[in-house]
Amino acid sequence: MRKEDLVFAKATSKRLEAFEANVHPLPGIEDEEARRTFIFQIVESIRRIRFVQQVSNRSIAESRKDPATDYFDPVRAAILYKQVGDIDEASWLVFLFVHFGKNVKSGYRLIADVYGRLGHGRVWTWAEVSKDPLEFRHWLDKNQQNLKTLGGIHRGFGNHRKYQSLDAWKPNGTGEAVHTYISWVTDSGGHGKLFANALAAADDNPEEAFAHLYKEMNAVRSFGRTAKFDYLSMIGKLGLAAIRPDSVHFDGATGPVAGARLLFSGKLKSKGSSKKLESLSDSLASHLQVDKQVIEDSLCNWQKSPTDPVQFRG
């Protein structure tokens, strides 16, 4: 660990001890290796969040916006569009990033080839796709097989979206996800107004605005708990809206809930309700003075390898 990470890790260890003494036991980290590994995952999560913020402050090549190049990166592209005030395009790229994910083999190739129409014609910018969602769905229907096999190139969804369908018309397909996302955003007059309305309804409270949008995103098909949480968290991290997670949101979660069960009961399959675990996890985030996303992410990764520090990137 870096020097600043070691300092933070020591402070976190003391705060964990205080939480155990004053709020709730943490039997899952009574073992010293488990405790060390859990703290490691907290540090790793913070570093990932910090990395996004650091990238936002660096010079980014314009080629990162071009889906026709190997340099295309939807997150960096979103940062570039945000820097010139195009909140719609930046937020649309965040949606595509979360919907498709980053495949371990092909990286962002699937996003690039959908966004860039397989290199034929115009890019599916927000202006284009929101103007005529049905045109996008017809294009997707026509090119679905090409997106899977054209040129013998592998194109895949990321790990968290591996069961997602490219289908243009089925209720659980990409076409429906895109169409319902467009409707959700345009009903408010665009991303900027959507986020502004949420903040106004929350009296500019970042966490309450997150909760407001999280609930509203039920309108977006195929966007379950993880996708909603990741999308809104990234919107906040990129500064596209002044929001941050109000909770770890365990409704429908698996990995983070398993981690919370292990942490608070010492067992991966204890009988505690997910709502109770959610409340304890939110309280832990407050005591550790970290973002709720940090705890959600840390619990998910820690339960995969409770006593052996492993860096997870998927």
Side-chain angles (χ1 to χ4, degrees):
M1 286 188 186
R2 300 171 183 173
K3 184 177 180 180
E4 61 267 32
D5 292 336
L6 286 171
V7 172
F8 174 80
K10 289 180 180 179
T12 298
S13 182
K14 291 181 179 179
R15 289 169 185 152
L16 284 169
E17 291 173 3
F19 185 89
E20 289 173 299
N22 301 312
V23 182
H24 194 281
L26 299 174
I29 56 172
E30 286 180 354
D31 175 80
E32 189 57 36
E33 287 302 307
R35 181 177 295 264
R36 183 172 63 87
T37 303
F38 182 58
I39 293 173
F40 170 84
Q41 292 299 349
I42 292 174
V43 171
E44 279 290 292
S45 180
I46 290 173
R47 287 178 65 180
R48 282 190 289 273
I49 292 174
R50 189 188 302 152
F51 177 76
V52 173
Q53 296 167 341
Q54 289 171 341
V55 169
S56 297
N57 295 324
R58 296 174 186 167
S59 176
I60 301 173
E62 287 291 311
S63 58
R64 294 295 196 173
K65 293 161 52 177
D66 187 354
T69 75
D70 291 336
Y71 300 107
F72 175 73
D73 182 315
V75 175
R76 286 175 169 83
I79 293 169
L80 287 170
Y81 280 111
K82 188 247 182 182
Q83 288 174 349
V84 296
D86 194 341
I87 302 302
D88 278 324
E89 194 66 17
S91 302
W92 165 234
L93 281 160
V94 171
F95 170 81
L96 293 175
F97 165 72
V98 172
H99 176 73
F100 290 107
K102 186 176 184 179
N103 185 267
V104 67
K105 292 182 179 179
S106 57
Y108 294 129
R109 187 60 188 258
L110 181 56
I111 306 177
D113 283 344
V114 171
Y115 184 58
R117 303 195 195 203
L118 285 165
H120 302 134
R122 304 180 308 276
V123 171
W124 281 117
T125 62
W126 175 253
E128 288 284 332
V129 75
S130 62
K131 180 175 62 179
D132 193 348
L134 281 176
E135 183 187 356
F136 171 81
R137 296 183 82 159
H138 284 296
W139 176 88
L140 185 62
D141 187 40
K142 181 180 178 181
N143 288 281
Q144 184 178 340
Q145 194 58 41
N146 286 335
L147 287 165
K148 294 179 180 178
T149 62
L150 186 65
I153 297 170
H154 175 79
R155 301 173 181 86
F157 286 88
N159 183 55
H160 283 169
R161 304 291 285 172
K162 58 188 175 185
Y163 300 115
Q164 180 62 45
S165 167
L166 265 177
D167 193 273
W169 305 109
K170 290 181 180 178
N172 65 335
T174 291
E176 185 72 0
V178 168
H179 203 153
T180 53
Y181 175 76
I182 292 169
S183 296
W184 176 58
V185 175
T186 56
D187 282 350
S188 292
H191 292 89
K193 289 184 178 179
L194 174 70
F195 302 147
N197 291 343
L199 283 160
D203 292 326
D204 289 327
N205 182 300
E207 294 192 352
E208 289 184 14
F210 186 103
H212 178 90
L213 290 165
Y214 184 89
K215 184 177 181 180
E216 278 200 346
M217 279 203 87
N218 289 333
V220 181
R221 295 297 296 267
S222 298
F223 257 51
R225 175 258 168 204
T226 301
K228 292 190 298 180
F229 192 88
D230 289 351
Y231 170 83
L232 293 172
S233 294
M234 184 60 78
I235 289 293
K237 283 188 288 189
L238 293 180
L240 293 167
I243 60 174
R244 64 173 178 265
D246 61 302
S247 169
V248 291
H249 285 285
F250 279 170
D251 49 308
T254 52
V257 170
R261 290 191 192 284
L262 181 59
L263 180 66
F264 295 114
S265 74
K267 301 176 182 178
L268 277 171
K269 296 184 179 181
S270 63
K271 295 182 179 180
S273 72
S274 60
K275 205 65 184 173
K276 174 65 173 177
L277 293 170
E278 178 179 285
S279 177
L280 285 170
S281 298
D282 288 344
S283 178
L284 180 62
S286 297
H287 276 74
L288 297 184
Q289 300 175 28
V290 298
D291 193 289
K292 305 290 195 313
Q293 186 190 12
V294 170
I295 294 301
E296 186 266 355
D297 185 54
S298 301
L299 287 169
C300 185
N301 286 327
W302 174 65
Q303 56 89 26
K304 299 173 188 175
S305 179
T307 57
D308 183 23
V310 176
Q311 290 182 317
F312 294 99
R313 293 289 181 262

